[in-house]
Amino acid sequence: MPAVLGFEGSANKIGVGVVRDGKVLANPRRTYVTPPGTGFLPGDTARHHRAVILDLLQEALTEAGLTSQDIDCIAYTKGPGMGAPLVSVAVVARTVAQLWNKPLLGVNHCIGHIEMGRLITGATNPTVLYVSGGNTQVIAYSEHRYRIFGETIDIAVGNCLDRFARVLKISNDPSPGYNIEQMAKRGKKLVELPYTVKGMDVSFSGILSFIEDVAQRMLVTGECTPEDLCFSLQETVFAMLVEITERAMAHCGSQEALIVGGVGCNMRLQEMMETMCQERGARLFATDERFCIDNGAMIAQAGWEMFRAGHRTPLSDSGVTQRYRTDEVEVTWRD
Amino acid sequence: MDFEGNGAVAAAVQAEDEGSGGAADAGGSPSGPEDLGFASVLEGQGGPGSPCGPSGSGGPEKQSGPCSPNGQGDPGPNNQGGPGVLGGPGVEETAGSAAVDAPSVTQAARASGPGGDAAAVAVGPGNPQTVFTLTLPFQSYLEAELARLAMDTDAQRHWQGVEKEVIVTDNVLAVRWIAEDPDLLRVSINSFLEQLSVVGRPISSVG
């Protein structure tokens, strides 16, 4: 019954989680929130993580009711993500692993999301829509790899939403995407925005440029309200995601869809995906904000799977990497 | 030189004439720390103000706390004893011993900073480089090596123009940076010290 401690800090969330045999024993998290109209920079984010990580570690152990001796493995996010935050967390993971004399495991952040989604929802072999501030991919498992069927060719959907929030000076607390979602519920008018699907892939940089350009003009002239813009942006980008997910499901003959990543918390996205799944006779799976948003337990869970399959990361190989593709990992723990 | 970190760190800077093949005081094998110009620094560790406590005998499980300023090895008011202790760099004691009689190098400009000197070194015609050396004593060799493994793994692959060398000798972690661009040098040093701040904190209270 191995217990795995997981460290996550690839973006502005820092989390430490403990998982044992499919049970999340602890999952505390902190978010680095910047003022409205601004984003989070790597150096400042890393400073935030360094300031709280050891307290989070203690909190996780206390919540789990465990000591260092009860932990069998230390997992951490190897990548992808922002460099300085990744390094800050990896340094602590290496230090703890050496002090406690435990094996170390570098985990792919995307696979952490997928494995936590599978654990929480019980989905067996879904087509995965992974949507967050840093990543947008449609993924399906095949022959020991999580294969990327489609993805963004430029920025992630969450990045598009976050940067639009900056234009309107929408608060980043608790997250810009959440606040856009609340404002969108009050939107009444659909503003036509560029819809860019390229086969299995999507592009969001054009829609962002467009809406940044027209937003101020339309708001000043009263053509629409900020709520209308939030509503229109969501409807457009989410429709694009639904299209490429459906295309992947048709290709794979899949009857399950799983949404993971921070943008997966969005209820409108879940609603649109549910409609598509129902029309296909498929099932939709999604998690709540505890596990959608970056967290330590997802790294611990992926680490748990990897640990049981015999994976280990020697210290000499424990560097982080900002570009770490989902399909680079050999998924030996699945058939 | 402006830097963050746990407070004062021992910084010993050597002026080296890179063109003449290394520090004049250095001797020994080409493959040892002497090549990094650390020998004359580390030889100064045995005197008063040197890192206190027995070195190499306790490892992370050693119960004593950080060195007291008089170098006697007494547990100080910030005793961080317990398993998994990183005593932290006992920097105050080593500041004195870390001062180095730099080999004579003509045209080396010196600028004093907190805890040490920085020196610009003429390497070749129109090719000045700045060398900055840091020595951090720990409670034991094991702790120093632990810190090195924790911090040195993410090599500065992407930082062109900054060369960093890290060695552990006895209980001392020594780091040397060489760079032409002082801004890159500053960023690299700051990054190292920021990482040191989470490695050196009392982790013994956890678990």
Side-chain angles (χ1 to χ4, degrees):
Chain A
M1 290 176 44
V4 177
L5 181 81
F7 290 91
E8 156 56 29
S10 59
N12 67 328
K13 274 76 73 182
I14 170 86
V16 180
V18 182
V19 165
R20 172 192 274 162
D21 291 344
K23 195 157 178 265
V24 177
L25 302 180
N27 198 17
R29 176 176 65 207
R30 301 279 188 278
T31 303
Y32 174 51
V33 176
T34 53
T38 68
F40 52 93
L41 297 172
D44 299 333
T45 307
R47 194 166 300 120
H48 167 269
H49 291 354
R50 282 193 300 270
V52 302
I53 189 169
L54 294 180
D55 292 335
L56 267 180
L57 174 55
Q58 183 63 74
E59 204 176 310
L61 289 173
T62 304
E63 191 179 319
L66 300 177
T67 66
S68 59
Q69 287 161 350
D70 303 316
I71 300 296
D72 295 287
C73 176
I74 308 295
Y76 71 100
T77 304
K78 186 177 178 68
M82 299 171 81
L86 281 172
V87 168
S88 290
V89 172
V91 164
V92 174
R94 287 183 212 121
T95 303
V96 169
Q98 292 182 84
L99 281 174
W100 296 355
N101 195 26
K102 307 291 179 184
L104 192 62
L105 263 177
V107 174
N108 180 295
H109 178 88
C110 316
I111 291 185
H113 276 292
I114 295 172
E115 292 302 333
M116 180 52 82
R118 287 179 60 230
L119 172 72
I120 296 298
T121 65
T124 49
N125 192 21
T127 298
V128 179
L129 175 64
Y130 170 34
V131 278
S132 70
N135 297 279
T136 296
Q137 297 173 354
V138 176
I139 297 159
Y141 175 76
S142 173
E143 294 185 13
H144 300 294
R145 299 267 167 174
Y146 284 112
R147 314 279 174 176
I148 300 171
F149 277 74
E151 60 185 329
T152 176
I153 62 174
D154 39 58
I155 61 174
V157 62
N159 191 241
C160 179
L161 294 168
D162 292 351
R163 286 162 68 177
F164 174 65
R166 282 186 234 164
V167 171
L168 295 187
K169 302 269 194 301
I170 294 172
S171 171
N172 291 324
D173 189 6
S175 75
Y178 175 83
N179 291 327
I180 286 177
E181 181 181 359
Q182 304 316 306
M183 289 177 68
K185 291 176 183 172
R186 301 190 293 273
K188 295 184 177 59
K189 178 179 175 182
L190 181 67
V191 176
E192 193 172 346
L193 300 173
Y195 181 98
T196 314
V197 171
K198 298 176 181 287
M200 297 290 286
D201 296 327
V202 285
S203 168
F204 295 111
S205 61
I207 190 172
L208 177 63
S209 298
F210 182 86
I211 201 168
E212 282 176 338
D213 200 35
V214 304
Q216 294 305 333
R217 178 176 54 77
M218 295 182 79
L219 291 173
V220 164
T221 59
E223 274 179 75
C224 67
T225 64
E227 288 77 6
D228 294 334
L229 288 173
C230 291
F231 167 70
S232 305
L233 182 61
Q234 280 199 171
E235 292 300 297
T236 308
V237 300
F238 290 168
M240 291 161 58
L241 295 172
V242 170
E243 178 181 339
I244 63 168
T245 306
E246 184 172 19
R247 190 162 288 129
M249 291 174 72
H251 181 86
C252 300
S254 174
Q255 291 303 105
E256 291 178 331
L258 169 65
I259 311 178
V260 299
V263 180
C265 294
N266 190 298
M267 298 309 295
R268 179 55 184 153
L269 174 62
Q270 292 187 22
E271 189 183 351
M272 292 170 73
M273 286 282 290
E274 177 68 38
T275 303
M276 179 271 287
C277 285
Q278 280 181 358
E279 288 173 357
R280 299 186 56 80
R283 270 188 81 184
L284 177 69
F285 297 89
T287 62
D288 61 37
E289 57 86 28
R290 288 174 299 166
F291 304 112
C292 256
I293 298 173
D294 292 348
N295 62 92
M298 74 185 196
I299 301 302
Q301 170 60 19
W304 185 86
E305 296 278 16
M306 294 170 72
F307 181 71
R308 286 204 322 153
H311 290 251
R312 303 288 186 268
T313 302
L315 272 172
S316 56
D317 282 343
S318 63
V320 300
T321 173
Q322 289 186 247
R323 296 179 185 276
Y324 191 9
R325 296 281 289 170
T326 311
D327 51 14
E328 273 184 54
V329 178
E330 193 170 357
V331 182
T332 56
W333 57 92
R334 287 186 66 174
D335 294 327
Chain B
M1 184 102 40
D2 182 24
F3 53 83
E4 304 173 30
N6 274 348
V9 293
V13 176
Q14 303 185 24
E16 296 176 357
D17 183 347
E18 299 285 342
S20 62
D25 287 342
S29 70
S31 59
E34 293 84 357
D35 280 353
L36 304 178
F38 292 152
S40 53
V41 174
L42 300 175
E43 284 166 8
Q45 301 295 322
S50 65
C52 52
S55 62
S57 59
E61 286 70 42
K62 194 150 76 73
Q63 296 295 316
S64 64
C67 303
S68 60
N70 63 4
Q72 295 299 314
D74 301 326
N78 298 320
N79 188 354
Q80 301 166 4
V85 171
L86 278 184
V91 295
E92 293 83 1
E93 313 73 65
T94 61
S97 61
V100 176
D101 287 330
S104 166
V105 175
T106 56
Q107 295 146 26
R110 282 189 165 276
S112 293
D117 294 333
V121 178
V123 175
N127 210 12
Q129 289 193 334
T130 305
V131 180
F132 189 92
T133 307
L134 215 60
T135 55
L136 303 166
F138 286 84
Q139 297 274 6
S140 67
Y141 168 80
L142 281 177
E143 288 185 6
E145 181 66 7
L146 184 156
R148 183 189 73 80
L149 289 170
M151 292 189 291
D152 197 34
T153 302
D154 293 296
Q156 296 173 161
R157 294 179 286 269
H158 57 291
W159 282 354
Q160 305 287 337
V162 179
E163 198 182 311
K164 187 177 99 177
E165 295 155 298
V166 185
I167 60 166
V168 172
T169 305
D170 292 332
N171 63 319
V172 175
L173 176 73
V175 190
R176 186 177 79 161
W177 289 266
I178 305 173
E180 289 181 18
D181 185 339
D183 280 334
L184 288 181
L185 181 67
R186 175 184 58 81
V187 170
S188 182
I189 294 169
N190 280 350
S191 173
F192 180 86
L193 292 174
E194 284 166 356
Q195 291 179 35
L196 181 66
S197 69
V198 280
V199 170
R201 277 171 63 187
I203 299 180
S204 61
S205 59
V206 175

